[in-house]
Amino acid sequence: MPGAWLVLPTYNEVENIDPFVRAVLPQLAAAAPDHHLLIVDDNSPDGTGTIADKLAAEFEPVEVFHRPAKQGLGVAYLAGFRRALDSGAELVLEMDADFSHDPADVPRLIRAAASADLALGSRYVPGGGVSDWGLLRRMLSRGGCWYAQRILRVPVRDLTGGFKCFNRRVLDAIQLDKVHADGYGFQIELTYYALKAGFSVVEVPITFRERQVGTSKMSPRIAIEAVWKVPALKLRRDR
């Protein structure tokens, strides 16, 4: 199996980071013997970075990338992607550190990446879904994906999901310096660029669960950004 790097951005995840790392490492090891877990911490004031350092001292595959300040989820992911690629990663995974994405699904994404350039965990294909959400949030999420799918004219149903496994050739071709969106817009942009570059994308059904502890990092600004970024992305590509 190719070397796999899981990039895990954190900001104020002091309650989640230890149990999450302990849960995901065995799954990563089972699917990719040559594996690494890169925690990208944006100087969390709650001490997440300190716990991450202790985990790195305990587990050889764990590395911590300390950044000086919070600059957004997309920026943190890009910094982690670059470090993983510079270190020779052949597969690069991204997922949330709050158990919204099930660590047990990691091997399924890695296996799917063996026959596709990008495997993404999808809530909106048969077998996928969400739990612990009210009707309004379900409608907003599904509506946002439908909106992006129609504007961009792509077949992927879950464009805003953040659980992905990239073959490095995708990230090499995307030119990460040209990715500017954050949050939902960032996820849409990466998948759209991959599709337009001719790479294959497969959706792997997952169940997304609402975080049980901690505070969500998503905000109205991030959601609004995704709304206007979608047509801007299409216009830029057409040009």
Side-chain angles (χ1 to χ4, degrees):
M1 291 295 295
W5 282 66
L6 170 58
V7 177
L8 203 66
T10 57
Y11 186 78
N12 286 351
E13 293 289 357
V14 69
E15 297 163 299
N16 288 311
I17 187 63
D18 185 277
F20 185 85
V21 167
R22 294 179 187 279
V24 80
L25 272 180
Q27 301 294 337
L28 194 58
D34 180 13
H35 62 280
H36 304 267
L37 195 164
L38 178 62
I39 300 170
V40 183
D41 187 66
D42 280 0
N43 197 23
S44 298
D46 70 348
T48 298
T50 300
I51 296 177
D53 285 336
K54 293 179 180 178
L55 290 164
E58 182 178 354
F59 299 106
E60 185 177 352
V62 178
E63 178 183 337
V64 186
F65 182 11
H66 292 282
R67 288 163 29 88
K70 184 181 181 183
Q71 296 177 299
L73 182 64
V75 177
Y77 265 129
L78 292 175
F81 290 170
R82 291 188 185 98
R83 178 163 290 200
L85 293 173
D86 288 345
S87 299
E90 291 298 328
L91 295 177
V92 179
L93 294 93
E94 59 163 280
M95 65 190 300
D96 294 343
D98 59 8
F99 288 97
S100 294
H101 301 133
D102 189 344
D105 288 329
V106 166
R108 297 173 58 229
L109 253 67
I110 291 177
R111 287 195 297 269
S115 56
D117 298 307
L118 166 58
L120 60 88
S122 178
R123 299 161 291 182
Y124 302 127
V125 292
V130 297
S131 65
D132 308 317
W133 278 8
L135 179 61
L136 178 59
R137 186 168 179 187
R138 289 174 184 266
M139 291 175 62
L140 288 172
S141 175
R142 191 66 190 94
C145 287
W146 180 88
Y147 165 77
Q149 186 181 16
R150 292 297 181 271
I151 294 292
L152 299 177
R153 298 180 182 178
V154 295
V156 175
R157 296 188 182 185
D158 194 347
L159 283 164
T160 63
F163 190 10
K164 294 184 169 85
C165 181
F166 298 88
N167 276 277
R168 76 167 293 137
R169 55 184 171 268
V170 178
L171 297 178
D172 284 338
I174 281 177
Q175 297 179 303
L176 298 180
D177 291 340
K178 295 184 178 180
V179 179
H180 301 295
D182 201 17
Y184 300 123
F186 173 80
Q187 303 300 349
I188 295 169
E189 195 168 357
L190 284 180
T191 301
Y192 182 63
Y193 281 155
L195 288 165
K196 289 305 175 181
F199 292 108
S200 59
V201 178
V202 62
E203 294 187 82
V204 178
I206 63 162
T207 298
F208 181 94
R209 295 174 175 82
E210 183 61 34
R211 65 161 60 229
Q212 299 301 306
V213 295
T215 304
S216 173
K217 310 304 185 298
M218 291 302 170
S219 67
R221 179 194 66 78
I222 291 175
I224 291 170
E225 179 201 44
V227 171
W228 70 262
K229 275 282 187 180
V230 168
L233 187 60
K234 178 69 163 58
L235 182 60
R236 187 162 66 246
R237 173 67 189 186
D238 289 346
R239 286 176 177 172

